[in-house]
Amino acid sequence: MTHTLQCSVCVAAALAIGAGADRLSSQAPEPAQVVRTAVRATTLDALTPVTSWAKAAPGIWRATAGNASREIRYTSLAAELPRLDALRAKPDHAFPFASDPIAFERTADGKTVVRVPCAAGEKLFGFGLQLDGLDRNQGVFTLNVDHWSTGGGRTHAPVPFYVSSRGYGVFIDTARFIKVYARVGNRKDSPRNPPPVDRNPPPGDPAPRWDSQPDADAVEILVDGPGADIVVIAGATIADVVSRYNLFNGGGALPPLWGLGFWHRVHAAADADRVRREVAEFEARRIPLDVIGLEPGWMTKSYPCTFEWQKKRFPDPPAFVAELLSRGIRLNLWENPYVSPESRLYKTMFPLSASHMVWLGLVPDYTLPEARRALIGQHAQDHVGIGVSGYKIDEVDGFDVWLWPDHASFPSGTPAPAMRQAYGLLMQDLVFKGLFKARNQRTYGLVRASNGAASGYPFAIYSDAYDLKEYITGMSASGFAGVLWTPEIRSARDEHDWIDRMQVVAFSALAQLNAWASGATPWHFEDATGMVRETLELRMRLLPYFYTAFAAYHFDGVPPIRPMAFEDAALGHVADQFMFGPSILVAPFYGKGGWSREVLLPAGKWYDFYTGEFVGDGGRVTRQSDTGRIPLLVREGAVVPMLKEPVANTARAYGQALEVRHYGTTPGVFDLFEDDGRTFDYERGRYRTRRLSVEAGEGGRFSLKEMVVKDAAPPMFGRSELRVMTR
Ligand code: GAL
């Protein structure tokens, strides 16, 4: 089977030149006649089945469609090598496309289309960080890096990976623009097309429902290049498939413990004194704080950037950073990658940058080692070397009118669209490996664009879109895409909205108030401050539980924030609730409906987090609150280790006593992960696992048994004490 088969029936068409052409046009040059001969087969047979599947690990296969020899693969930009040890410990599965093969074709204009069969009734999820819902069963998605708002697939992390309820996932491992036709586009000779329906039947005839998008039997993926690598992943459940995808890409990121505390980004014009005053007020008001983020004003020039300290605002950067560190506060610096003519990097970067600029700043080609070395050297000297803990990498997404055009040229010869797809990854790679991993120091930060194979990077994606419902959808969508997401809070229309947003962010991968424009502080709405403090203190108390959920991301590939599809594929479309770690279901309030909402429970018994009361056994329940306290539900038998007392900073979490909560009526176990919380020594086995088992004894009374099952690091938290929540 080839894709250049000669068709036996010639369907040559000639465009006749209008007979009634007037005199004027008859004097014009003769238009060329369009007469063509059929040269391509247009049947399914014309597609070439992909046969060269190489097994990479249990349940994971890789093959190439077309010619991908010069393509950039996302997996080559991953933070870590595939976690083969963890993958090999998993059971094998049959190749999902053995009887109905994946096939490909070169399009007439030199692109590649990959056709992945899809059976009726399969539910599809993924295609990146899409904020407009989770159900991806049918639609056309343009997977280009862009700032969210255009929809239709363009987003901050347009990861070309999707997962099916049938227990497989497909990852197109190439940094090319991609357009997905998910069950859209019926092939004329497919045996599984639905029958056509007469939309305008004569009177008296049955009138079945006419469908404007008749279901097609495949996901067809148009790759804007000559070929692509395809990775197929099979697993027992949706969660298993996603975790294998993450492990294949090096496992999930484990942030330092401080990264899970509360972050406050000050106003863009704030100076050192204003930062000091705000930090002091956090302390006085007993609001948790771990990280201060500086916005553009910390630089001498920004948009484009110098990456050099603005001495009028920060006269003594080393002393300022040291002072904050001595109070347990880390510093995170905003930047975008575009180099100002005023930067001392400009001259070096000029020949190493693209033909076009962004905001009149150079766009360095970070596939070049010289360009990487230059930025790493300057950042190490001016920032990391004096104690800066990480970065917020802004503006690596779009819009088109801001970034370089698709025809820009880069010195490495990398096509501009591929550079756009990969730029966020290149920046994460540079910062993570070049500045932090190299010194065995963990970092955590923010980035506004990411893509495939990104799970190992300790960066959370954020957006300017600011629609609360979309932000909540992002909590689940990120879990399908191997990325972390923060629905950061900036401002609010009223106190009610403030409480809702603050609580959503408190249950996210990175809890941050971004006051770069608003100048707001957590006590912005004075009357809401009590609820804000309570929520942030709860986040701090949940550190042992949540940090272990991140360890599971690293070791097992299971994301810390999980979509409902991980519990039950039938709830996969539910975008306004999610799992925080293994046992806590979060159902945020949002919109104008007041503090009351419905929650869809996965099968099994669920209990109220705050009181331990039984709430329901599957099905639909209503939760409401007078104060706006976010509904949290805990599964049967769950063991939730928390700090006994809240702490205002993660440094004070070390050594704290634990309250081990138990919910429901059946015994349960939690393996608590502990390490130093700041280096990569855990990768060399230097960590500790405390098995907390809640067992039922005489008369159904529960007791807590603790066993250290791995003892290769000192304990992180103190002694544990059982709290039985359900009586
Ligand atoms: C935006 C970014 C904001 C803030 C601002 C500063 O692009 O999304 O979070 O950093 O720039 O100018």
Side-chain angles (χ1 to χ4, degrees):
M1 271 168 276
T2 108
H3 48 270
T4 51
L5 274 185
Q6 191 78 30
C7 184
S8 55
V9 188
C10 176
V11 286
L15 288 187
I17 300 171
D22 61 26
R23 248 184 323 142
L24 252 187
S25 66
S26 70
Q27 286 162 6
E30 278 284 288
Q33 276 200 331
V34 181
V35 179
R36 294 206 159 162
T37 310
V39 292
R40 293 174 69 91
T42 59
T43 56
L44 273 168
D45 282 356
L47 270 65
T48 307
V50 180
T51 50
S52 56
W53 295 105
K55 195 158 192 174
I60 304 189
W61 300 262
R62 173 173 214 135
T64 304
N67 179 359
S69 58
R70 293 173 55 83
E71 301 304 295
I72 296 181
R73 292 166 174 79
Y74 290 132
T75 45
S76 68
L77 300 174
E80 309 286 349
L81 294 171
R83 291 286 316 281
L84 292 177
D85 53 338
L87 284 166
R88 287 192 185 124
K90 283 182 171 272
D92 206 357
H93 285 272
F95 184 65
F97 300 101
S99 54
D100 200 355
I102 294 180
F104 76 100
E105 186 181 21
R106 195 177 159 90
T107 63
D109 56 355
K111 299 175 184 172
T112 309
V113 64
V114 177
R115 184 174 200 273
V116 185
C118 186
E122 278 183 49
K123 291 184 195 310
L124 307 181
F125 306 99
F127 300 121
L129 185 72
Q130 307 297 341
L131 303 179
D132 57 350
L134 300 174
D135 176 342
R136 301 283 137 200
N137 292 334
Q138 206 183 28
V140 179
F141 313 113
T142 302
L143 301 186
N144 295 11
V145 163
D146 203 343
H147 193 290
W148 177 263
S149 82
T150 36
R154 296 170 78 104
T155 178
H156 304 282
V159 181
F161 170 65
Y162 70 98
V163 52
S164 159
S165 57
R166 199 155 65 84
Y168 70 84
V170 177
F171 175 37
I172 308 296
D173 186 12
T174 183
R176 286 277 186 172
F177 286 167
I178 280 176
K179 197 162 175 185
V180 174
Y181 292 79
R183 284 199 175 111
V184 167
N186 302 81
R187 295 253 176 188
K188 65 186 176 189
D189 53 345
S190 164
R192 287 181 296 253
N193 282 327
V197 168
D198 180 6
R199 197 179 178 187
N200 301 291
D205 278 14
R209 199 177 69 86
W210 180 83
D211 192 350
S212 63
Q213 290 179 33
D215 205 19
D217 62 349
V219 174
E220 295 192 336
I221 300 149
L222 179 64
V223 179
D224 194 2
D229 272 19
I230 310 166
V231 179
V232 166
I233 302 172
T237 59
I238 291 174
D240 185 26
V241 172
V242 174
S243 68
R244 288 178 201 234
Y245 166 80
N246 290 332
L247 289 172
F248 186 64
N249 296 321
L254 177 61
L257 190 68
W258 58 258
L260 304 185
F262 187 65
W263 295 48
H264 176 59
R265 307 200 78 83
V266 293
H267 192 275
D271 60 9
D273 282 339
R274 177 160 171 184
V275 172
R276 283 190 192 99
R277 282 199 305 277
E278 288 194 9
V279 169
E281 206 167 347
F282 269 84
E283 286 166 1
R285 290 177 177 263
R286 292 185 298 107
I287 304 285
L289 180 66
D290 262 89
V291 182
I292 284 286
L294 298 185
E295 288 288 315
W298 73 270
M299 284 189 207
T300 47
K301 297 268 175 0
S302 50
Y303 286 62
C305 297
T306 56
F307 317 112
E308 291 160 25
W309 288 94
Q310 169 57 263
K311 295 283 174 62
K312 284 193 182 152
R313 294 200 175 102
F314 298 93
D316 188 351
F320 173 68
V321 179
E323 179 192 333
L324 288 181
L325 282 174
S326 72
R327 292 162 90 161
I329 310 294
R330 317 267 158 174
L331 198 66
N332 175 284
L333 297 180
W334 172 99
E335 69 180 20
N336 69 45
Y338 312 117
V339 184
S340 160
E342 313 272 335
S343 162
R344 65 177 200 267
L345 288 173
Y346 189 80
K347 246 177 106 179
T348 314
M349 287 300 193
F350 192 90
L352 306 175
S353 60
S355 55
H356 291 66
M357 296 184 289
V358 175
W359 293 307
L360 307 176
L362 300 176
V363 182
D365 183 338
Y366 285 125
T367 66
L368 300 174
E370 309 91 287
R372 292 169 63 93
R373 268 199 302 275
L375 193 82
I376 289 170
Q378 186 272 338
H379 277 36
Q381 189 182 351
D382 288 13
H383 318 144
V384 182
I386 63 166
V388 166
S389 299
Y391 294 89
K392 164 177 169 178
I393 305 164
D394 205 19
E395 308 291 359
V396 279
D397 45 353
F399 301 98
D400 283 354
V401 288
W402 292 348
L403 287 200
W404 56 89
D406 291 352
H407 56 268
S409 58
F410 283 81
S412 62
T414 305
M419 203 55 128
R420 176 145 172 190
Q421 296 289 69
Y423 213 74
L425 284 173
L426 284 167
M427 288 301 295
Q428 292 177 77
D429 170 298
L430 193 157
V431 167
F432 174 68
K433 294 180 191 160
L435 283 162
F436 291 98
K437 192 130 198 220
R439 26 181 110 205
N440 194 24
Q441 179 187 334
R442 275 190 258 169
T443 183
Y444 199 28
L446 297 115
V447 69
R448 226 174 62 191
S450 197
N451 220 319
S455 55
Y457 286 115
F459 290 85
I461 300 170
Y462 62 102
S463 176
D464 287 340
Y466 216 58
D467 178 274
L468 182 53
K469 183 141 188 274
E470 287 183 358
Y471 273 26
I472 296 169
T473 304
M475 302 291 288
S476 301
S478 60
F480 289 118
V483 296
L484 300 169
W485 161 247
T486 171
E488 60 175 23
I489 181 167
R490 296 181 169 195
S491 58
R493 46 168 202 274
D494 54 27
E495 195 176 297
H496 189 122
D497 187 34
W498 185 252
I499 288 177
D500 290 353
R501 286 178 180 271
M502 195 56 94
Q503 294 185 100
V504 175
V505 88
F507 286 91
S508 76
L510 193 154
Q512 171 175 278
L513 167 56
N514 179 11
W516 73 277
S518 65
T521 49
W523 47 93
H524 185 66
F525 289 95
E526 199 64 60
D527 291 347
T529 306
M531 179 51 75
V532 168
R533 183 183 299 109
E534 180 188 311
T535 308
L536 298 183
E537 286 186 339
L538 180 56
R539 179 176 175 95
M540 299 303 277
R541 290 191 65 194
L542 283 166
L543 276 172
Y545 168 84
F546 196 38
Y547 188 60
T548 297
F550 265 103
Y553 191 32
H554 173 74
F555 289 103
D556 309 324
V558 192
I561 309 289
R562 306 165 189 183
M564 295 313 296
F566 281 28
E567 297 291 320
D568 180 351
L571 297 184
H573 61 285
V574 180
D576 65 355
Q577 52 183 70
F578 54 89
M579 296 298 298
F580 177 78
S583 306
I584 302 177
L585 189 163
V586 184
F589 293 123
Y590 62 94
K592 299 198 178 93
W595 284 327
S596 172
R597 60 161 291 165
E598 286 201 328
V599 184
L600 288 171
L601 297 176
K605 292 185 177 153
W606 293 82
Y607 300 84
D608 183 273
F609 171 83
Y610 307 98
T611 64
E613 273 164 3
F614 173 72
V615 173
D617 190 345
R620 197 180 287 267
V621 295
T622 300
R623 307 304 287 160
Q624 53 202 25
S625 164
D626 295 337
T627 57
R629 203 192 230 185
I630 191 166
L632 301 177
L633 304 165
V634 188
R635 71 165 86 250
E636 172 65 50
V639 175
V640 181
M642 301 171 56
L643 299 182
K644 198 157 178 227
E645 303 293 338
V647 289
N649 180 279
T650 53
R652 283 176 234 157
Y654 289 84
Q656 278 283 328
L658 296 177
E659 170 179 301
V660 179
R661 292 193 176 186
H662 175 258
Y663 291 84
T665 55
T666 51
V669 181
F670 190 97
D671 280 345
L672 181 72
F673 173 82
E674 298 181 320
D675 73 336
D676 64 20
R678 50 189 180 82
T679 71
F680 290 91
D681 290 358
Y682 65 91
E683 288 188 346
R684 289 175 284 281
R686 285 191 214 120
Y687 60 90
R688 186 180 172 91
T689 310
R690 284 162 69 172
R691 180 157 297 163
L692 304 166
S693 310
V694 177
E695 297 173 1
E698 289 289 299
R701 278 176 63 90
F702 285 113
S703 63
L704 176 65
K705 294 238 161 39
E706 187 172 329
M707 198 168 85
V708 177
V709 291
K710 180 166 169 78
D711 190 8
M716 196 173 202
F717 306 110
R719 61 184 174 72
S720 57
E721 187 180 293
L722 178 64
R723 181 161 169 208
V724 176
M725 295 298 293
T726 308
R727 305 210 171 256

